[in-house]
Amino acid sequence: MSAPEQLAANQAANWEKTFTATTADQTHAFGARLAEVLQAGDLLVLSGELGAGKTTFTQGLGEGLGVRAGIISPTFVLVRIHPNLPDGPRPGGPDLVHVDAYRLGSAAEIDDIDLENTMDSSVTVVEWGHERVEHLSDSRLEIDLLRAIGLSTGAPGAATGTLDFDGEDTDEPRTIVMRGYGPRWAAAPELGGPELGGPDLGAPGGNVPC
């Protein structure tokens, strides 16, 4: 496959699923459930405006991965590494690398923080990573958290222009849109089973093949 063909393939989503979370606890639970299907080397690109629940989602993800607690927005340090806990639910599992790319203007600036050194042993979550981190892996999950009030529109994963200083995550409804790219996510992960804090989040609100 030529370089342009590879780039085009990397930009085409294999599938898209939409979930509804009516509380912050459901957003947290969604992250914890998704963590069960993640493994070292996985890349997640996380988008959402102030108060959309990005930190709450990542805290749930960290709980499900069994990493050290204390996940907050990495806005002021760019990268935080949360190591796997040997006495957690997934001993020997991947670390969590949490990145805020808001201030990074290009893929070249992403390369300067050397994420390649940790990607193989970690699950990497990048906030504001759209059009900045796609070159790091041939597969990725893109997750958009959209507030019911003041939703912005635009390209999938596009930044809204609002810097997230770890704003309060209230219990207003949110839409969670998840898309899979590349061979790792050729099929959507199964997140069924027991309800995640409520009926809406227990099953997708929509499944749109791409």
Side-chain angles (χ1 to χ4, degrees), residues 75-139:
T75 298
F76 298 104
V77 296
L78 297 182
V79 180
R80 294 183 186 273
I81 299 176
H82 300 271
N84 179 268
L85 296 174
D87 57 349
R90 290 182 60 177
D95 298 336
L96 174 65
V97 175
H98 188 195
V99 183
D100 190 315
Y102 185 90
R103 291 186 174 86
L104 303 180
S106 67
E109 292 184 22
I110 287 288
D111 291 339
D112 288 341
I113 60 177
D114 295 327
L115 291 179
E116 294 89 345
N117 292 334
T118 57
M119 284 199 63
D120 288 346
S121 60
S122 306
V123 169
T124 303
V125 178
V126 185
E127 298 185 19
W128 306 111
H130 184 65
E131 296 185 347
R132 293 176 174 88
V133 300
E134 289 83 353
H135 67 290
L136 294 176
S137 175
D138 62 356
S139 298

Side-chain angles (χ1 to χ4, degrees), residues 176-202:
I176 302 173
V177 182
M178 183 168 64
R179 291 176 295 273
Y181 295 79
R184 165 78 169 103
W185 303 108
E190 292 295 332
L191 301 179
E195 291 181 358
L196 303 180
D200 289 334
L201 198 52

Side-chain angles (χ1 to χ4, degrees), residues 14-83:
N14 296 320
W15 47 265
E16 178 178 296
K17 282 192 172 185
T18 301
F19 300 81
T20 299
T22 58
T23 66
D25 284 345
Q26 288 187 2
T27 302
H28 184 283
F30 182 84
R33 176 58 59 85
L34 180 60
E36 296 177 4
V37 303
L38 297 179
Q39 60 190 31
D42 285 340
L43 172 65
L44 281 67
V45 181
L46 189 60
S47 300
E49 63 178 337
L50 177 68
K54 298 189 299 297
T55 299
T56 298
F57 165 84
T58 307
Q59 288 169 344
L61 199 73
E63 180 180 295
L65 290 172
V67 303
R68 187 174 61 197
I71 293 174
I72 61 174
S73 173
T75 298
F76 298 104
V77 296
L78 297 182
V79 180
R80 294 183 186 273
I81 299 176
H82 300 271

